[in-house]
Amino acid sequence: NNNGTIPTLSTVNKQPVINSLGATLTLTADKSGSLIIFDRAAGTVVTLPTTPAVGTYFDFMVAVTVTSNADKVITGSATELLVGSVLNCDTDTSDAVAIWKSLVATANISTNFDGSTKGGIKGDYLRFTCLNSTTWQVRGVTNGTGTVATPFATS
């Protein structure tokens, strides 16, 4: 009980943050629950841990719009696939909404943000959660410009 007082920063729980990313980052299962901040305009490739425990999860937030290469999240193995969906808002036309899906029967192993058509714009968000030894669930919200397209990919 805090007796009606506002807790101080030292008593507030917060999510661990990983930022100041270079060109590549390989995550380990012990970093589960972390917020990975894409803060590099030249893009970063992040590799998820191979066969982590069920329930392992990572959040990704774009803090700097990618302008070259891509902000990419890829599974640690080609046998670990992505399922789920990403909601996208086309910001330069009518704010039309699209939902990009990755179904069980697809071979999608990565998401790729290009800074325009596939997301990667400041404020975009994804969460990856391990469902079992071969499946990561993806959900998120992105913005796009131009002719928007799915961020899901097979490589």
Side-chain angles (χ1 to χ4, degrees), residues 75 78-85 100-110 134-136 138 150 152-155:
T75 61
T79 60
E80 294 176 26
L81 304 177
L82 303 179
V83 298
S85 58
W100 307 114
K101 63 189 179 305
S102 182
L103 301 175
V104 173
T106 63
N108 292 325
I109 62 168
S110 70
T134 61
T135 312
W136 286 88
V138 181
T150 182
F152 290 106
T154 59
S155 63

Side-chain angles (χ1 to χ4, degrees), residues 65-88:
T65 298
V66 65
T67 57
S68 64
N69 304 313
D71 284 335
K72 178 177 185 171
V73 181
I74 189 166
T75 61
S77 165
T79 60
E80 294 176 26
L81 304 177
L82 303 179
V83 298
S85 58
V86 175
L87 179 73
N88 176 272

Side-chain angles (χ1 to χ4, degrees), residues 21-104:
L21 304 179
T24 63
L25 172 66
T26 299
L27 294 170
T28 54
D30 66 325
K31 300 296 184 197
S32 178
S34 293
L35 170 64
I36 294 82
I37 298 178
F38 285 119
D39 57 2
R40 186 172 181 263
T44 300
V45 176
V46 178
T47 303
L48 296 168
T50 303
T51 59
V54 171
T56 298
Y57 75 95
F58 298 95
D59 291 331
F60 295 85
M61 180 72 69
V62 177
V64 175
T65 298
V66 65
T67 57
S68 64
N69 304 313
D71 284 335
K72 178 177 185 171
V73 181
I74 189 166
T75 61
S77 165
T79 60
E80 294 176 26
L81 304 177
L82 303 179
V83 298
S85 58
V86 175
L87 179 73
N88 176 272
C89 179
D90 187 351
T91 63
D92 63 351
T93 58
S94 63
D95 291 336
V97 173
I99 299 175
W100 307 114
K101 63 189 179 305
S102 182
L103 301 175
V104 173

